[in-house]
């Protein structure tokens, strides 16, 4: 194709794809099939590849994300990002209304909106292009998550129509319920902990370092607050309609109310109708529509006086406690779970509720067959919030936490100051063994494909695998004898086990499943102790000297390495060739000790080195790099465009400020 023709065709495809994206993601009324859409997208991507001179970061093809890992820049909000004050009853809402009337009189209307349960975002558009997306952060400054937000299909990268030259629009990014269930199912498949609720899932997704992973999550948005020096109108509602006409996603459930009684109707309606929505809301937001009046009413330090949130009560139901089960996890922690007479709550049938630990049971004063109230809070598993003592059956006995492990009979232990009871029999308590094996093979640990909880259970019950090293003794011929495993899957499992010998030391350490040693702690430990021998020989003092390691973690590590069974297991794992030491090139070789004992913060953009390179330099010269300026910071290495508040804070605290060159001079790399 001729260059000129290609240019025209590319532009046409981009326009068409933007249009269909809008129809699909914003208006929910697609005009073409998914296949047709994909076909056009592929055509565009091919052309863009062929003619890279027409590349455009705003092209709809760029919404697949990038693989680049980067840390988020802090951006100061042009307008502080305040929150709302909450009300929980119609009386409180009436009080709010009375205050407003007292201040501005009677002649105004409200706009009622849903209170979306996600994570707040501020989008800045300049000349119709999305230039920045920033999280709430501390309200003054937030994380620049533009790259991630660009992958959300319902957020247009380009607007159409009579938009102002520059404006910000705020809204909520959330994960619809279906997307949430899908994401948690994926997480479970990968052996990862599920998100507790859609809000955490949305916030967690925006903070992912890899935007191509964000692109895979079906995040959505509703925008609800426009800010600009050149607002199109002085009505909040009219501004939202304007925003809609430019292509921004505005909720169809927003409603103008001419009296407080209409507001009450709105909240009563949504208190029940919310269960039919495909996403979660936790209340309604009531705003004075007229922006002149909003300005007259103004703000308190934390929230506007012209708006308020009305929070719905968490739904509650009453039901009988049937019995209490005790579940033993991989670390031996015993969790009590209540079995309940099935009851309908917030659209689902509830049969079980977590009781967390012995203190919760005694705090509730729970007796057998009690009538209890259950509530679905922000978590997936409902909780018991109270006991209806008047309805207690006669002579029913109080529930006492068990004294022995329900799985292996070992007497339970409770460490001073900790809430949980533990089964100490880690070597032969079945759920602990199986749990440890499941953790070991999970994706973020040894990533052994093809082995799931079911196969682990089979291997364990058939007596083929009892300890972690046993996995490395397995032969394909043994696997084939198991039900449901064909020749090919058996061979794949063996290959995957072999491949796990390449998993690097920090992940192997995490895979061992030492209590309190999660991924981050494992990385920190592996960076300070180059091998398992160094780690197992470390004293409590040496362990605590590592960043983020306190007494609790240190105690758990010491206990792990004191156990004879664990010592034997590690020797066996060594003999199979697992990476129980860091490879030379990955462990940090010290260039100097110039920065020993010094804490540095890096902020802004640099011209000679990337932030990651500078961070590495700090470490190789013995210093410590942290994220925010505190009284303990020695130097702030300041680049271009860094947040003024960070600079101000550094100046106030007397922190020395270095330019990139001054820093390089200091460490002798200049
Ligand atoms: S307006 C100055 N409208 O609730 C007013 N907020 O507790 C700014 N939220 O941080 C907020 N739905 O994340 C507004 N329709 C809505 C909302 C909403 C959810 C969130 C938002 C805010 C928090 C305040």
């Amino acid at each position: 194709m001729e260059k000129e023709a290609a240019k025209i065709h590319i532009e046409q495809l981009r326009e068409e794809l933007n249009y269909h994206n809008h129809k699909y993601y914003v208006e929910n009324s697609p005009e073409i099939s998914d296949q047709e859409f994909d076909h056009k997208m592929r055509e565009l991507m091919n052309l863009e590849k062929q003619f890279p001179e027409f590349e455009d970061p705003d092209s709809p093809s760029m919404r697949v994300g990038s693989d680049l890992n980067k840390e988020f820049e802090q951006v100061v909000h042009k307008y502080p990002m305040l929150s709302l004050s909450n009300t929980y009853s119609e009386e409180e809402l009436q009080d709010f209304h009375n205050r407003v009337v007292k201040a501005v009189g009677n002649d105004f209307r409200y706009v009622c909106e849903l209170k979306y349960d996600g994570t707040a975002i501020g989008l800045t558009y300049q000349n119709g292009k999305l230039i920045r997306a920033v999280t709430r952060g501390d309200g003054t400054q937030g994380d620049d998550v533009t790259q991630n937000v660009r992958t959300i299909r319902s957020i247009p990268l380009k607007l159409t129509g009579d938009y102002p030259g520059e404006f910000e629009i705020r809204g909520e990014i959330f994960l619809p319920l279906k997307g949430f269930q899908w994401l948690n199912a994926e997480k479970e498949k990968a052996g990862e902990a599920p998100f507790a609720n859609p809000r955490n899932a949305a916030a967690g997704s925006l903070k992912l370092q890899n935007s191509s992973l964000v692109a895979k999550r079906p995040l959505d948005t509703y925008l609800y607050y426009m800010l600009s020096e050149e607002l199109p109108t002085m009505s909040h509602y009219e501004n939202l309609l304007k925003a809609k006409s430019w292509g921004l996603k505005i909720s169809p459930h927003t409603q103008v109310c001419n009296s407080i009684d209409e507001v009450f109707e709105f909240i009563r309606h949504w208190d029940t109708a919310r269960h039919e929505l495909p996403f979660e809301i936790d209340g309604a937001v009531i705003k004075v529509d007229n922006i002149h009046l909003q300005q007259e009413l103004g703000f308190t330090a934390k929230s506007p006086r012209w708006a308020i949130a009305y929070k719905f009560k968490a739904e509650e139901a009453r039901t009988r406690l049937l019995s209490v089960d005790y579940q033993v996890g991989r670390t031996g922690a015993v969790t009590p779970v209540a079995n309940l007479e099935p009851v309908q709550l917030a659209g689902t049938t509830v049969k079980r509720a977590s009781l967390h630990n012995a203190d919760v049971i005694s705090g509730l004063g729970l007796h057998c067959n009690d009538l209890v109230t259950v509530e679905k809070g922000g978590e997936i598993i409902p909780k018991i919030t109270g006991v209806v003592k008047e309805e207690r059956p006669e002579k029913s006995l109080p529930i006492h936490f068990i004294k022995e492990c329900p799985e292996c009979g070992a007497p339970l232990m409770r460490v001073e100051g900790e809430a949980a009871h533990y089964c100490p029999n880690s070597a032969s308590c079945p759920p602990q063994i199986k749990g440890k094996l499941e953790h070991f093979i999970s994706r973020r640990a040894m990533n052994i494909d093809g082995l799931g909880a079911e196969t682990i259970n089979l291997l364990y019950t058939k007596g083929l695998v009892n300890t972690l090293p046993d996995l490395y003794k397995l032969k394909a011929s043994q696997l084939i004898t198991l039900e449901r495993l064909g020749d090919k899957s058996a061979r794949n499992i063996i290959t995957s086990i072999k491949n796990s010998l390449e998993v690097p030391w920090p992940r192997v350490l995490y895979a061992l499943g030492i209590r309190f040693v999660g991924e981050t702690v494992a990385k920190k430990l592996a960076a300070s102790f180059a091998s398992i021998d160094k780690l197992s020989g470390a004293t409590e003092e040496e362990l605590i000297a590592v960043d983020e390691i306190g007494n609790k973690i240190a105690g758990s590590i010491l206990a792990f390495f004191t156990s004879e069974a664990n010592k034997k297991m590690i020797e066996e794992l060594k003999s199979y060739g697992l990476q129980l030491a860091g490879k030379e090139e990955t462990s940090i070789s010290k260039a100097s000790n110039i920065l020993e004992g010094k804490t540095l913060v890096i902020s802004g953009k640099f011209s000679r080195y990337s932030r990651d390179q500078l961070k590495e330099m700090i470490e190789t010269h013995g210093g410590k790099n942290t994220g925010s300026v505190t009284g303990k910071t020695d130097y702030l290495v300041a680049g271009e465009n860094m947040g003024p508040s960070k600079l101000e804070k550094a100046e106030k605290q007397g922190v020395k400020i270095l330019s990139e060159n001054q820093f390089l001079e200091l460490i002798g790399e200049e």
Side-chain angles (χ1 to χ4, degrees), residues 30-205:
E31 284 175 4
I32 57 172
S33 69
D34 290 0
Q35 285 96 312
E36 281 173 274
F37 185 90
D38 289 344
H39 181 76
K40 282 184 198 294
M41 181 64 89
R42 242 172 286 135
E43 199 180 341
L44 173 63
M45 285 165 111
N46 285 339
L47 279 174
E48 283 175 340
K49 209 167 161 190
Q50 223 178 316
F51 298 94
E53 58 271 45
F54 302 133
E55 221 172 63
D56 178 354
D58 290 336
S59 167
S61 64
M62 301 301 279
R63 289 189 183 232
V64 284
S66 103
D67 275 324
L68 273 180
N69 262 19
K70 71 172 186 86
E71 286 208 15
F72 301 112
E73 284 282 338
Q74 295 275 302
V75 176
V76 176
H77 293 298
K78 185 165 176 191
Y79 312 92
M81 216 160 171
L82 301 176
S83 69
L84 294 166
S85 51
N86 290 325
T87 53
Y88 297 90
S89 66
E90 291 192 4
E91 291 75 52
E92 284 179 279
L93 200 51
Q94 181 72 49
D95 290 344
F96 162 77
H97 175 64
N98 296 346
R99 286 197 300 273
V100 175
V101 171
K102 199 168 164 202
V104 300
N106 250 325
D107 189 19
F108 67 89
R109 59 182 199 173
Y110 286 116
V111 177
C112 290
E113 296 166 11
L114 301 183
K115 190 169 188 301
Y116 314 101
D117 203 6
T119 186
I121 196 78
L123 307 174
T124 303
Y125 283 88
Q126 224 171 43
N127 301 322
K129 281 189 171 183
L130 174 69
I131 59 155
R132 204 176 308 116
V134 184
T135 63
R136 193 177 116 82
D138 61 5
T140 310
Q141 56 178 31
D143 284 332
D144 182 339
V145 289
T146 315
Q147 282 316 104
N148 286 346
V149 165
R150 291 173 72 88
T151 67
I152 302 174
R153 309 303 203 275
S154 53
I155 295 181
L157 304 178
K158 263 187 187 164
L159 304 178
T160 53
D162 56 344
Y163 46 77
E166 180 166 339
F167 71 97
E168 182 175 342
I169 189 149
R170 294 201 176 145
E172 205 80 356
I173 289 177
F174 59 88
L175 201 57
L177 288 166
K178 267 207 185 125
F180 171 67
Q181 280 149 8
W182 168 83
L183 180 58
N184 267 357
E186 288 291 302
K187 289 210 123 211
E188 245 153 70
K189 264 192 242 159
E192 293 167 27
F195 283 113
N197 51 46
R199 180 175 6 102
N200 291 0
S205 302

